[in-house]
């Protein structure tokens, strides 16, 4: 019963947010997309299904299951300290967000992890479906890290579900092509990462790719000096994606899955060509 309720909450929140952001970016787009949705959406949505199945099959307890076990057996820092559930929940939420930020930075810095994560960056446009486009191995590693954090801290199950639902929703929001008036963007990005803030992270220029790592709370980027207010060439003129994997065929599910294991021959020259054309 509890599992069904949790699944219903996750699916309802996902469907509601997906629909809201899709309508927003269709009727009030931020920038002109370079490709039709039909070219990108099938691959991006198929990878979402593969990711969900991979986690359910390989880590069936997931982070929330571990939270329930930790609560029942009393292990984890918050249980040892005897903190009330609300305090453990709020602090647990913030700790999880910081860990996801740190994980994102590490996925950019460590070459073999970058191979997994670069598939997220190879999308040739950025819209709400980019927010669910992650390689299944990255998703599994990310879940294993979350499981470890939840067990170590004893994060309450409700906070784990809240964190995952919110992260899923904010990821679709800040990857969306929805327009936000500049004054509103400035206010919103004080508490949550906005589309204009995260779009910088999808720039083809490496220095911009390596900034704005936050997915949810924007504070970590300010704190750790990885914040960049906007792309050098502006939101309309900037090039989205990577210097590699730019052929339209790379948007297919099978190509997305094999990208981490392929090394494009022209990687170096393509990178310098795009860097020099955009600077
Ligand atoms: Zn990234
Ligand atoms: Zn992203």
């Amino acid at each position: 019963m509890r599992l069904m309720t949790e699944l219903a909450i996750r699916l309802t929140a996902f469907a509601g947010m997906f629909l809201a952001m899709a309508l927003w970016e269709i009727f009030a787009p931020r920038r002109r997309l370079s490709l039709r949705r039909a070219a990108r959406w099938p691959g991006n949505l198929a990878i979402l299904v593969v990711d969900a199945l991979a986690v359910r099959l390989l880590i069936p307890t997931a982070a929330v299951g571990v939270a329930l076990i930790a609560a029942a057996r009393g292990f984890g820092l918050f249980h040892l300290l005897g903190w009330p559930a609300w305090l453990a929940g709020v602090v647990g939420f913030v700790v999880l967000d910081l860990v996801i930020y740190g994980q994102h930075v590490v996925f950019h810095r460590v070459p073999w992890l970058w191979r997994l994560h670069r598939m997220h960056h190879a999308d040739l446009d950025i819209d709400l479906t980019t927010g669910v486009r992650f390689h299944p191995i990255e998703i599994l590693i990310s879940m294993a890290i979350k499981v470890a954090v939840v067990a170590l801290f004893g994060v309450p199950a409700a906070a784990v579900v809240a964190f995952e639902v919110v992260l899923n929703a904010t990821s679709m929001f800040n990857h969306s092509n929805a327009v936000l008036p500049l004054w509103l963007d400035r206010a919103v990005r004080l508490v949550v990462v906005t589309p204009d803030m995260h779009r910088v992270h999808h720039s083809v220029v490496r220095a911009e790719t390596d900034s704005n790592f936050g997915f949810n709370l924007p504070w970590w980027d300010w704190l750790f000096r990885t914040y960049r207010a906007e792309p050098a060439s502006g939101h309309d003129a900037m090039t989205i994606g990577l210097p590699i994997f730019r052929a339209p065929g790379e948007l297919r599910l099978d190509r997305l899955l094999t990208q981490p294991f392929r090394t494009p021959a022209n990687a170096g020259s393509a990178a310098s060509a795009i860097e020099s054309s955009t600077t």
Side-chain angles (χ1 to χ4, degrees):
M1 187 59 200
R2 185 194 273 271
L3 257 182
M4 290 310 293
T5 315
E6 184 213 320
L7 195 64
I9 292 172
R10 285 177 195 270
L11 288 177
T12 310
F14 170 78
M17 194 64 185
F18 189 95
L19 194 66
M21 292 320 305
L23 290 173
W24 190 349
E25 63 179 32
I26 286 168
F27 291 108
R30 174 68 169 91
R31 62 200 296 276
R32 208 170 55 81
L33 296 180
S34 53
L35 291 162
R36 291 170 301 114
R37 288 187 181 83
R40 296 174 41 255
W41 281 32
N44 288 1
L45 296 178
I47 207 88
L48 170 66
V49 175
V50 172
D51 289 350
L53 291 175
V55 169
R56 290 275 158 185
L57 287 175
L58 296 172
I59 314 184
T61 55
V64 66
V66 174
L68 292 172
I69 296 168
R73 304 202 182 151
F75 66 75
L77 185 65
F78 300 151
H79 297 299
L80 293 175
L81 293 172
W83 280 13
W86 69 267
L87 182 62
V90 171
V91 176
F93 185 101
V94 175
V95 167
L96 280 169
D97 202 66
L98 172 59
V99 169
I100 294 295
Y101 165 88
Q103 175 199 316
H104 192 181
V105 173
V106 171
F107 267 78
H108 275 241
R109 302 257 160 93
V110 178
W112 72 270
L113 292 173
W114 169 248
R115 276 180 170 264
L116 297 172
H117 180 64
R118 71 186 180 184
M119 189 275 260
H120 174 67
H121 284 269
D123 204 349
L124 296 172
D125 269 323
I126 171 170
D127 67 11
L128 84 155
T129 65
T130 314
V132 297
R133 176 186 150 131
F134 292 93
H135 197 277
I137 302 176
E138 174 173 359
I139 289 292
L140 288 168
I141 294 173
S142 179
M143 180 56 84
I145 292 170
K146 265 188 291 179
V147 163
V149 171
V150 167
L152 202 64
F153 286 86
V155 183
V160 175
V161 176
F163 178 75
E164 291 183 329
V165 167
V166 167
L167 189 67
N168 189 235
T170 51
S171 187
M172 284 190 276
F173 168 68
N174 64 46
H175 284 90
S176 76
N177 191 38
V179 71
L180 225 66
L182 286 182
W183 63 268
L184 188 58
D185 177 280
R186 258 181 243 124
V188 173
R189 76 164 72 180
L190 296 176
V191 283
V192 68
V193 175
T194 62
D196 274 7
M197 182 175 163
H198 190 70
R199 194 176 303 105
V200 179
H201 186 74
H202 282 262
S203 162
V204 78
V205 180
R206 186 70 204 212
E208 293 178 349
T209 314
D210 289 335
S211 55
N212 298 6
F213 291 94
F215 279 122
N216 188 27
L217 301 174
W219 314 326
W220 316 121
D221 282 302
W222 308 336
L223 199 62
F224 299 108
R225 297 173 185 278
T226 49
Y227 176 69
R228 197 176 284 262
E230 53 191 0
S233 46
H235 286 285
D236 291 315
M238 72 185 291
T239 305
I240 300 288
L242 296 176
I244 53 174
F245 300 132
R246 299 198 70 87
E250 292 292 345
L251 298 164
R252 281 198 335 249
L253 176 65
D254 58 320
R255 305 295 285 174
L256 295 179
L257 289 170
T258 58
Q259 275 180 10
F261 313 105
R262 286 185 279 127
T263 304
N266 61 345
S269 55
S272 52
I274 289 186
E275 294 271 348
S276 58
S277 75
T278 51
T279 49

